Amino acid sequence: MKQWQCVVCGFIYEQQHGLPEDGIAAGTSWDDIPDDWLCPDCGVGKSDFEMVEI
Amino acid sequence: MAEKTVILGTGLAGYTLARELRKRDPQAELLLISRDDGSSYSKPMLSNALSKDKTADTLVMAAAEKAADDLNADIWTDTEVMQIDAARQQLQSSRGAIDYHRLVLAHGASPIKIPFAGDAADHIMSVNSLADYRIFRQALHNRKRVVIIGAGLIGCEFANDLTNIGISVDIVDLAPQALGRLLSQQAATELQNRLQTAGVKWHLDNAVTSVNHAGQALHVDLKDGTRIETDIVLSAIGLRANIKMATEAGIATERGIIVDRYLQTNQDGIFALGDCAQVEDLHLPFVMPLMNAARALAATLTGEQTAVNYPAMPVVVKTPIYPIVVCPPPRPTHGEWHEEVSEDGIRARFQDEKGNLAGFVLTDGLVKERMAMAKEIKDWLV
């Protein structure tokens, strides 16, 4: 399963859980997250995430 | 002639600024200078790298050469800068003089070292860089015991990480509770209990008096007379901004290199950001302030004068055994904690004398409320 991990702090975005507290519903694919969205842990932008296989 | 920007330091601050600059200006001349090998890595990951079985090498996201390629920049590694000559816009370095048009100081902070007594005091380690982590990880090989001095963020995070890989940990701190100023009392008690369950032995309200060799082991003596036999002593009592070179160059400093909302020092063309910088009165050596500052500075340096904004920025404590988010008031604030304890965790609100929310602690399942709660707090820089 592919997940997205923040290269700065290690935060992992999991599509199946989404981030309801940030207004991102469970199941939201990475592509559908707005470009101005920021990592909830460290504040970096979407372009600083990289995909890691876990 | 094109402007040449020199960034001193290749930590998170230096590399983030370089990336943000490149998003806005793919071509301008850019030089990063590092006193180490210049590897790009995530520093926050150092405090949970052991349980993830990461070596110093696997933590590297890009070696200097690749980073230079990716950024279309020059990166000089293993280069020590000794002096800033602000009048001549020049640095004196181990590779000779370096001219700049604009200089960004992003050379971080160093662990505070206390001169302890004892013949092994110089064996006390600290981990504030990838190179430090490499040494620490090697030292842990076949060892089972670590004494951590300091029960702050780094101390508690390392305690959790070390117990995860089966190391027995003792923590010593002067304060009566873990994460002293950051946590409300019940949250601190719970953190101590959970780490204790994992095998951490607490020595709070106490202090290390000496560290001595004892055969292959070390003896750590405490103020209350306790003697701990251990293999490694790790100091985690905090960081001090690297300000000496700036001070010598006539740049205003306090706890950090003082900059205004534009990250500009009192010298034209010299900026500072990250752990070495103090924005107005705030020295906040955390990731989020650094990210905000890097984005603002990148805009300013590419011609769009932009003041940095600091909203209230919560800090995630990387203690997986007890998920905690803290958002302490950034300045000394009179007020009191109001703690609510429920099945989902602790929600502690720190209210100032007017009853306004000035800080908070969230634990366990409640950590997800952090963004919403941070929005209730007024911006830290106004």
Side-chain angles (χ1 to χ4, degrees):
Chain A
M1 191 179 89
K2 291 213 167 169
Q3 299 176 325
W4 293 82
Q5 181 170 34
C6 174
V7 298
V8 171
C9 71
F11 172 84
I12 291 173
Y13 176 74
E14 293 174 272
Q15 180 176 334
Q16 63 181 113
H17 296 130
L19 283 167
E21 60 272 21
D22 276 10
I24 294 169
T28 304
S29 81
W30 181 250
D31 290 342
D32 291 335
I33 292 177
D35 288 337
D36 61 358
W37 178 81
L38 301 176
C39 171
D41 280 6
C42 72
V44 303
K46 205 178 158 186
S47 60
D48 293 311
F49 277 61
E50 63 178 32
M51 189 154 61
V52 291
E53 197 135 15
I54 295 180
Chain B
M1 199 174 69
E3 295 272 290
K4 177 181 177 182
T5 302
V6 174
I7 300 174
L8 184 56
T10 55
L12 211 41
Y15 272 126
T16 302
L17 175 65
R19 272 206 309 271
E20 294 293 328
L21 279 172
R22 276 300 177 242
K23 287 180 192 168
R24 295 173 158 266
D25 182 346
Q27 292 304 332
E29 192 178 355
L30 182 60
L31 167 67
L32 287 85
I33 303 173
S34 182
R35 68 174 173 186
D36 58 28
D37 69 8
S39 296
S40 148
Y41 69 100
S42 162
K43 187 165 153 193
M45 285 191 211
L46 293 182
S47 50
N48 55 10
L50 294 168
S51 4
K52 293 187 174 161
D53 201 22
K54 297 262 192 191
T55 66
D57 288 335
T58 58
L59 281 169
V60 172
M61 296 184 299
E65 210 171 307
K66 178 167 188 309
D69 255 13
D70 292 347
L71 290 165
N72 182 29
D74 288 318
I75 300 178
W76 289 4
T77 60
D78 304 302
T79 305
E80 194 79 39
V81 171
M82 288 87 76
Q83 200 194 329
I84 303 164
D85 186 338
R88 293 168 68 181
Q89 293 186 279
Q90 197 175 63
L91 301 175
Q92 300 305 327
S93 84
S94 54
R95 291 211 202 178
I98 302 167
D99 293 315
Y100 63 83
H101 292 106
R102 292 178 309 197
L103 173 66
V104 180
L105 302 173
H107 58 306
S110 301
I112 296 170
K113 291 202 163 91
I114 296 179
F116 291 107
D119 64 15
D122 58 350
H123 281 57
I124 297 175
M125 311 181 93
S126 51
V127 178
N128 186 46
S129 70
L130 191 63
D132 293 341
Y133 176 73
R134 188 184 300 276
I135 295 167
F136 180 59
R137 192 178 154 96
Q138 271 161 8
L140 279 170
H141 186 67
N142 286 334
R143 301 299 173 95
K144 283 282 158 222
R145 301 165 299 182
V146 173
V147 169
I148 298 175
I149 308 174
L153 283 170
I154 300 296
C156 288
E157 291 177 357
F158 270 96
N160 198 159
D161 205 34
L162 286 162
T163 53
N164 279 348
I165 60 162
I167 304 277
S168 132
V169 174
D170 287 78
I171 305 189
V172 187
D173 201 297
L174 295 167
Q177 69 169 43
L179 292 181
R181 290 157 295 173
L182 301 179
L183 283 191
S184 57
Q185 198 231 320
Q186 291 186 72
T189 304
E190 183 62 19
L191 174 63
Q192 288 159 214
N193 288 345
R194 293 215 199 166
L195 282 171
Q196 191 164 326
T197 310
V200 170
K201 290 189 274 301
W202 294 94
H203 306 273
L204 296 167
D205 253 328
N206 211 329
V208 171
T209 54
S210 66
V211 181
N212 287 284
H213 289 288
Q216 291 295 303
L218 299 172
H219 277 166
V220 179
D221 287 312
L222 307 187
K223 194 178 70 180
D224 72 349
T226 305
R227 168 166 289 178
I228 309 167
E229 186 172 297
T230 191
D231 300 309
I232 291 171
V233 180
L234 181 70
S235 175
I237 50 180
L239 298 176
R240 189 167 284 148
N242 295 328
I243 59 171
K244 185 165 171 280
M245 193 166 48
T247 310
E248 288 167 358
I251 298 168
T253 58
E254 241 169 41
R255 277 164 299 143
I257 298 165
I258 301 174
V259 294
D260 62 16
R261 295 282 294 274
Y262 299 95
L263 291 315
Q264 159 108 40
T265 67
N266 64 338
Q267 304 274 349
D268 274 350
I270 303 183
F271 302 81
L273 110 138
D275 290 2
C276 69
Q278 172 183 331
V279 181
E280 292 188 345
D281 61 328
L282 296 180
H283 176 240
L284 301 172
F286 302 108
V287 174
M288 269 174 102
L290 177 166
M291 291 289 154
N292 284 13
R295 276 191 288 269
L297 182 54
T300 297
L301 292 178
T302 49
E304 191 184 322
Q305 194 75 344
T306 303
V308 65
N309 182 37
Y310 277 0
M313 291 176 277
V315 174
V316 177
V317 185
K318 285 195 294 305
T319 45
I321 200 166
Y322 189 39
I324 307 175
V325 173
V326 297
C327 188
R331 302 175 178 87
T333 303
H334 289 288
E336 53 186 45
W337 285 106
H338 299 274
E339 292 187 291
E340 303 159 36
V341 184
S342 72
E343 277 178 9
D344 298 325
I346 294 173
R347 182 189 295 111
R349 304 166 69 91
F350 185 80
Q351 283 171 333
D352 66 18
E353 286 164 327
K354 291 176 187 154
N356 295 320
L357 186 67
F360 62 82
V361 173
L362 297 166
T363 75
D364 289 316
L366 298 176
V367 297
K368 63 177 188 286
E369 295 179 7
R370 62 184 179 269
M371 293 307 209
M373 258 179 112
K375 282 185 190 135
E376 284 184 48
I377 299 176
K378 72 174 193 301
D379 286 357
W380 287 350
L381 284 174
V382 285

